[in-house]
Amino acid sequence: MAYLELKNIYKTYGTDENATEVLSNINLSIEEGEFVAIVGFTGSGKTTLVNLINGLLEPTKGEVLFKGKPVEGTSHERGVIFQNYSLLPWLTVEQNVLMAVKEAFPKREKAVYKRKAAYYIDMVGLTPAINKLPKELSGGMRQRVAVARALSMKPDMIIMDEPLGALDALTRGTLQDQILNIWGKDKRTALLITNDVDEGIYMADRIIPLRPGPNATLGPEFKIDIERPRDKTEMNDNPNYKKTRNAIIEYLMDIGEERKSQVSEEFVLPDLAPKDFVNQFR
Amino acid sequence: MKQSVTLGKVTKFMGLGFLSTFKDLFTGKLEKEDYKAFLRKVIVPVASVLLFLGLWHLGAKSLYNVEAEFRIEKALNEQGQVAADEMAACIASGDISCQPNTLPSPSQVWASFQSLLNDHALISADKAAFKEKTATLNEKRVAEGKDPIVYTGRPSFVDQIFRSLKTVFAGFFLALLIAVPLGIFIGLSPTLKSAFNWFIQIFKPVSPVVWYLLVFMIVKTLLIDSSEDSSFSISFIAVGLCSMWATLVNTSMGVSSVDKDYINVAKVLKLGNFQKVFKVVLPSSLPLIFTGLKITLSVAWMVLIAIELLAQSPGLGLFVWEEFQNGANDSNAKIIVAMFVIGIIGFLLDRLMLSIQNAVSFEKTDAI
Ligand SMILES: Nc1ncnc2c1ncn2[C@@H]1O[C@H](COP(=O)(O)OP(=O)(O)O)[C@@H](O)[C@H]1O
Ligand SMILES: [Mg+2]
């Protein structure tokens, strides 16, 4: 029995004339301890897929099974790292993480919570910024807080929605390693959504492309047969790596061409927009 | 987190950042590139104040001349040349009995301001003397179970200001106590929202005068047995009801439009309902709630004057009305003094709210 299983998932937004079917006939199964990456263009429905798995959305048709049971609402067993950090801006780094820790481990002493939060904040290297508010942090630091918050709940499965999309290459590399470290340590299960094929190859056991929506479906999977721990520079010379990478990119380019003939514009950027809280309240 | 609090930080925080430019000027810390800012922030406002005073002075002077000529003309037409010459001489001599009654000049207003302050000093001294004189007597009366004798003299201008502030804050807190909780419930529940929507839409545009009359009808009946003066209660309740709408609407809007991301966080962390409201929904709507409260306070201060006047409740509104009825020589100047005091206090109240808003909410709003 698969750890996570999606059976014939359809997801439609809106009703009647306004209805758009974003996801069609999605089938996916992930085994315990596996690291799966899903790559896809912006707007293809990746976030929708993630929200179906973490329980924020319900499928229009089909079933999501987690450990054999249907997913009903969110659960502490599935930790989520959102695409846009989603930190609470009025709480400090520590308070953001504490909030998660307190919910995941009810009825402990205050000192225990503090210690747990401090541990995860230290893990992402943010101890010096522990009392800062999110707006005082750089994008990379915010994303690390989001990682610390998700991991501090000790979820059995980590679901990451383009967690490193907005980061510079250097920070990105460090965080990739940190995430791999944590995943490897307790052999948790991980699902990574990304728009970066190299990131997928470096981190995952399998890569599955999401064909662009509407009516997005999952494409054929690509197995990554490269030994762990992987090394970025060594990997470049690995024939297996080159073959897989070329295959995936070719596949994506084909979809891109197909898509271009339907849609006039093509985006490969992550769909992140800067948030402006000040003007929001004007 | 430790932070040193400096004068510069405090004034900037209060939205009075231009004060620090003054300080730099006097301590000689002004850099060359600061001169432009200095010109813009200090010279231009000062110049515009002077221009304003100048225009006001000229305007008042020409209105004075129009009025004076009219009086002389009238005397000439009705009583002949002798009366007209007498009138002209009387006006020129500055005699109080025949002064043209029109817009006072800046200097007249300044003189009235000082006479009001002198008046306040006199009344305060009188009050203190009264208190001293009645101290022993009052002690005895209290011991015998009688009410102490209280000062019943005329309130000074400064006393009226404090009365007005008391009324406006009582009204503001009434508005806060009604509008914030109600707004939260309306924002959380779409059912309540549709139940209250017509109510808000209809009562929001009602004018202060009508609110006053409504409150008057109700409070008068409720206090029918009591001999107490109900004018204060009536006016603060009317002020509160009149000004609470901005807070009500903003609170419910803030609560019902919390960023979806934050709601998703609450769901993923599986916060309970209570936690969700107090840890996510309320903090995220605080900026909007405070914007509402800020509007409420300034509306409260604005309608207060009209309501005090109607309610005959002591305060700046009544002061203005009494001076207008009074028609004494310096009444007009006193009304203008009251106008400036009302304006300046309104400005300070706004700044006060802004600094509280900045202190509690996670996003800073600059003074406009
Ligand atoms: N709540 C919603 N209501 C209607 N349409 C939506 C909603 N959320 C997403 N969509 C649409 O579904 C499509 C997929 O969105 P999303 O899952 O966010 O894509 P991705 O994460 O791959 O960029 C987009 O066309 C988007 O406009
Ligand atoms: Mg997305």
Side-chain angles (χ1 to χ4, degrees):
Chain A
M1 186 190 62
Y3 199 63
L4 175 82
E5 203 167 359
L6 276 68
K7 287 186 184 164
N8 297 317
I9 295 285
Y10 289 80
K11 178 68 193 175
T12 308
Y13 283 119
T15 46
D16 301 333
E17 311 96 74
N18 298 328
T20 33
E21 191 172 272
V22 177
L23 298 176
S24 299
N25 196 24
I26 300 275
N27 286 286
L28 171 71
S29 72
I30 298 177
E31 299 301 323
E32 184 162 6
E34 227 187 341
F35 197 127
V36 174
I38 291 180
V39 292
F41 294 102
T42 288
S44 53
K46 301 186 298 298
T47 300
T48 307
L49 183 61
V50 158
N51 286 345
L52 289 171
I53 296 170
N54 65 33
L56 284 172
L57 287 176
E58 277 178 30
T60 316
K61 242 189 333 191
E63 242 189 333
V64 183
L65 298 173
F66 181 69
K67 295 183 182 172
K69 281 188 221 106
V71 163
E72 282 164 4
T74 56
S75 155
H76 288 159
E77 292 177 316
R78 295 182 302 272
V80 187
I81 301 175
F82 289 104
Q83 185 170 5
N84 38 17
Y85 328 128
S86 297
L87 300 177
L88 301 180
W90 52 90
L91 298 182
T92 63
V93 169
E94 185 182 31
Q95 289 165 333
N96 264 293
V97 177
L98 270 177
M99 196 173 188
V101 178
K102 280 181 185 161
E103 288 304 316
F105 307 96
K107 301 210 173 70
R108 306 283 167 92
E109 273 176 44
K110 206 177 162 198
V112 177
Y113 289 136
K114 280 227 161 204
R115 208 168 52 234
K116 276 181 188 286
Y119 173 80
Y120 286 97
I121 291 168
D122 184 53
M123 193 175 69
V124 295
L126 281 180
T127 305
I130 194 160
N131 286 323
K132 290 218 160 95
L133 289 174
K135 68 170 176 212
E136 300 171 287
L137 305 179
S138 69
M141 290 161 99
R142 288 182 207 181
Q143 195 54 274
R144 274 140 73 189
V145 183
V147 170
R149 179 176 66 185
L151 295 177
S152 72
M153 303 181 81
K154 282 222 161 215
D156 296 335
M157 181 173 181
I158 318 168
I159 302 164
M160 297 165 275
D161 188 2
E162 300 190 39
L164 313 175
L167 307 186
D168 61 282
L170 219 62
T171 323
R172 207 173 169 144
T174 326
L175 269 180
Q176 283 170 353
D177 289 337
Q178 274 171 350
I179 292 172
L180 281 176
N181 240 331
I182 295 150
W183 165 76
K185 221 162 43 188
D186 330 326
K187 267 294 164 194
R188 287 185 229 182
T189 311
L191 176 66
L192 170 77
I193 306 290
T194 180
N195 54 28
D196 179 352
V197 175
D198 288 327
E199 181 171 281
I201 298 178
Y202 179 59
M203 297 180 79
D205 298 320
R206 276 192 287 155
I207 293 188
I208 306 168
L210 183 65
R211 298 176 59 93
N215 308 89
T217 53
L218 290 175
E221 66 171 45
F222 296 85
K223 278 214 161 6
I224 317 291
D225 285 320
I226 302 173
E227 291 233 334
R228 291 177 193 272
R230 295 170 184 166
D231 182 296
K232 276 206 176 112
T233 34
E234 272 175 32
M235 238 168 57
N236 278 326
D237 306 325
N238 187 321
N240 230 336
Y241 164 79
K242 276 186 192 161
K243 215 176 71 203
T244 321
R245 184 172 189 275
N246 287 342
I248 296 172
I249 288 183
E250 207 167 300
Y251 180 80
L252 286 175
M253 288 207 339
D254 282 349
I255 320 179
E257 285 297 319
E258 229 175 84
R259 199 169 163 225
K260 230 190 237 166
S261 56
Q262 296 162 351
V263 200
S264 55
E265 277 176 301
E266 178 188 353
F267 303 101
V268 208
L269 293 167
D271 59 348
L272 278 175
K275 259 216 168 122
D276 190 342
F277 290 105
V278 177
N279 287 330
Q280 191 180 331
F281 298 114
R282 283 262 157 89
Chain B
M1 257 194 308
K2 266 186 217 154
Q3 264 185 355
S4 67
V5 179
T6 65
L7 184 69
K9 267 186 195 160
V10 172
T11 51
K12 189 146 189 191
F13 187 68
M14 295 279 295
L16 300 171
F18 61 90
L19 286 182
S20 65
T21 317
F22 270 123
K23 199 191 79 191
D24 289 346
L25 178 71
F26 293 122
T27 51
K29 264 202 327 211
L30 224 51
E31 297 283 326
K32 220 174 197 156
E33 58 267 33
D34 287 341
Y35 278 112
K36 244 194 193 150
F38 176 72
L39 187 75
R40 189 162 41 81
K41 283 191 184 162
V42 180
I43 302 291
V44 172
V46 167
S48 76
V49 167
L50 291 178
L51 183 69
F52 172 76
L53 290 176
L55 286 176
W56 174 10
H57 177 80
L58 292 177
K61 204 165 154 189
S62 79
L63 286 175
Y64 179 92
N65 288 340
V66 169
E67 187 92 11
E69 272 165 31
F70 176 76
R71 285 186 184 214
I72 296 168
E73 194 94 347
K74 197 173 162 208
L76 180 68
N77 290 343
E78 286 171 8
Q79 293 161 296
Q81 185 62 44
V82 183
D85 288 344
E86 254 172 33
M87 181 56 90
C90 177
I91 290 172
S93 73
D95 192 281
I96 290 173
S97 64
C98 53
Q99 278 310 296
N101 187 11
T102 182
L103 177 72
S105 71
S107 56
Q108 280 171 309
V109 170
W110 180 249
S112 286
F113 175 60
Q114 291 192 314
S115 89
L116 283 171
L117 287 185
N118 285 338
D119 185 47
H120 172 66
L122 284 178
I123 290 178
S124 301
D126 194 30
K127 237 191 236 173
F130 177 83
K131 211 170 175 186
E132 212 173 292
K133 225 165 48 191
T134 54
T136 44
L137 181 65
N138 270 346
E139 250 171 56
K140 227 164 82 191
R141 282 181 72 102
V142 170
E144 285 168 11
K146 288 187 204 161
D147 284 341
I149 304 171
V150 289
Y151 184 79
T152 53
R154 180 172 62 88
S156 78
F157 182 62
V158 179
D159 296 335
Q160 312 256 46
I161 294 176
F162 282 106
R163 266 308 285 256
S164 280
L165 283 173
K166 197 173 128 191
T167 316
V168 89
F169 276 112
F172 174 73
F173 283 111
L174 180 73
L176 188 148
L177 288 179
I178 297 175
V180 172
L182 192 61
I184 292 171
F185 285 121
I186 291 177
L188 287 176
S189 144
T191 318
L192 269 185
K193 189 170 187 162
S194 38
F196 270 97
N197 199 29
W198 67 271
F199 182 81
I200 295 174
Q201 301 304 332
I202 289 180
F203 285 100
K204 198 171 61 165
V206 169
S207 102
V209 176
V210 182
W211 276 116
Y212 163 73
L213 294 175
L214 181 75
V215 175
F216 177 76
M217 295 173 213
I218 296 168
V219 172
K220 188 193 66 173
T221 314
L222 288 180
L223 295 181
I224 205 157
D225 290 330
S226 122
S227 60
E228 244 177 82
D229 180 18
S230 59
S231 69
F232 174 72
S233 332
I234 293 176
S235 47
F236 96 78
I237 294 173
V239 166
L241 292 183
C242 207
S243 62
M244 70 176 205
W245 304 97
T247 301
L248 184 60
V249 170
N250 274 25
T251 305
S252 64
M253 205 163 81
V255 167
S256 65
S257 65
V258 175
D259 195 320
K260 203 153 178 281
D261 290 347
Y262 305 156
I263 298 292
N264 280 348
V265 170
K267 280 188 187 155
V268 165
L269 300 187
K270 291 193 86 73
L271 298 185
N273 275 337
F274 183 83
Q275 293 257 350
K276 192 174 127 189
V277 170
F278 282 92
K279 295 238 164 120
V280 177
V281 173
L282 277 189
S284 101
S285 24
L286 264 191
L288 220 55
I289 294 179
F290 267 86
T291 309
L293 287 175
K294 208 172 104 191
I295 300 172
T296 286
L297 186 59
S298 58
V299 169
W301 183 246
M302 207 156 78
V303 301
L304 173 80
I305 307 301
I307 284 175
E308 276 178 349
L309 188 156
L310 283 169
Q312 295 289 299
S313 165
L316 284 170
L318 192 60
F319 172 86
V320 169
W321 184 242
E322 278 173 351
E323 286 304 328
F324 178 67
Q325 298 288 57
N326 191 349
N329 193 45
D330 60 349
S331 284
N332 285 359
K334 281 184 181 166
I335 291 172
I336 305 285
V337 172
M339 187 185 98
F340 277 108
V341 168
I342 290 165
I344 290 168
I345 290 175
F347 168 72
L348 292 178
L349 290 178
D350 201 56
R351 281 300 125 110
L352 177 75
M353 283 306 288
L354 190 72
S355 47
I356 297 176
Q357 184 179 7
N358 279 344
V360 291
S361 56
F362 49 96
E363 293 293 341
K364 300 261 178 279
T365 323
D366 251 341
I368 306 151

